[in-house]
């Protein structure tokens, strides 16, 4: 039973790493400074970072040993989450990027006057 759970966890980490790589690519294509680095070819860990502007940085680390989300502004840590809470923040980031893209398209077709700026925390 425990070997099966360990294998499932390894697969979960690999899936998460692949999704982080895809998210970094999408963010880069939308003009954000984003990166996702992995160690080795086994995809068992990754370091994901994105700058949302105004010295607002998101760092997400994943490995077999843990998952961490750190949000910083002006080199000060605003929020640090681990585990499932950290993964939930990725969903929020993805939704904000989707909204930003939809708002940009709407402005281009003159349906909306101004997009909301991307912000994950209140400052």
């Amino acid at each position: 039973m425990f070997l099966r759970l360990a294998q499932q966890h390894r697969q979960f980490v690999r899936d998460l790493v692949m999704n982080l790589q895809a998210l970094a690519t999408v963010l880069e294509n939308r003009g954000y400074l984003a990166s996702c680095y992995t160690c080795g070819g086994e995809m068992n860990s990754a370091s994901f970072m994105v700058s949302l502007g105004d010295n607002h940085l998101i760092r997400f680390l994943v490995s077999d040993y843990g998952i961490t989300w750190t949000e910083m502004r002006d080199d000060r840590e605003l929020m640090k989450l681990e585990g499932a809470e950290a993964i939930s923040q990725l969903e929020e980031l993805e939704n904000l990027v989707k909204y930003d893209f939809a708002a940009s398209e709407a402005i281009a077709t003159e349906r909306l006057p101004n997009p909301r700026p991307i912000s994950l925390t209140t400052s």
Side-chain angles (χ1 to χ4, degrees):
M1 173 175 77
F2 293 108
L3 291 176
R4 179 183 54 81
L5 290 172
Q7 182 56 35
Q8 286 175 343
H9 179 72
R10 283 187 207 95
Q11 184 59 48
F12 167 76
V13 169
R14 279 192 294 274
D15 290 347
L16 187 53
V17 169
M18 286 190 301
N19 281 291
L20 288 171
Q21 289 175 322
L23 181 58
T25 300
V26 168
L27 288 167
E28 284 181 318
N29 290 339
R30 303 252 172 96
Y32 294 94
L33 297 175
S35 64
C36 184
Y37 297 100
T38 61
C39 297
E42 294 182 23
M43 309 261 298
N44 58 6
S45 64
S47 172
F48 168 87
M49 294 181 80
V50 61
S51 173
L52 300 177
D54 296 330
N55 294 319
H56 190 183
L57 182 70
I58 305 295
R59 182 177 64 212
F60 189 87
L61 303 173
V62 62
S63 72
D64 274 345
Y65 305 109
I67 297 167
T68 305
W69 165 283
T70 306
E71 189 168 347
M72 297 174 288
R73 189 179 295 261
D74 298 321
D75 294 327
R76 292 188 187 140
E77 189 174 291
L78 299 175
M79 178 171 46
K80 186 171 190 169
L81 302 171
E82 295 180 344
E85 290 178 329
I87 295 169
S88 294
Q89 285 300 115
L90 284 175
E91 183 72 22
E92 187 173 334
L93 176 62
E94 178 188 40
N95 289 336
L96 287 169
V97 170
K98 284 180 189 177
Y99 174 79
D100 183 53
F101 181 69
S104 296
E105 283 190 338
I107 288 169
T109 60
E110 298 182 41
R111 288 183 282 153
L112 292 175
N114 293 313
R116 278 189 311 136
I118 288 183
S119 176
L120 296 177
T121 60
T122 56
S123 52

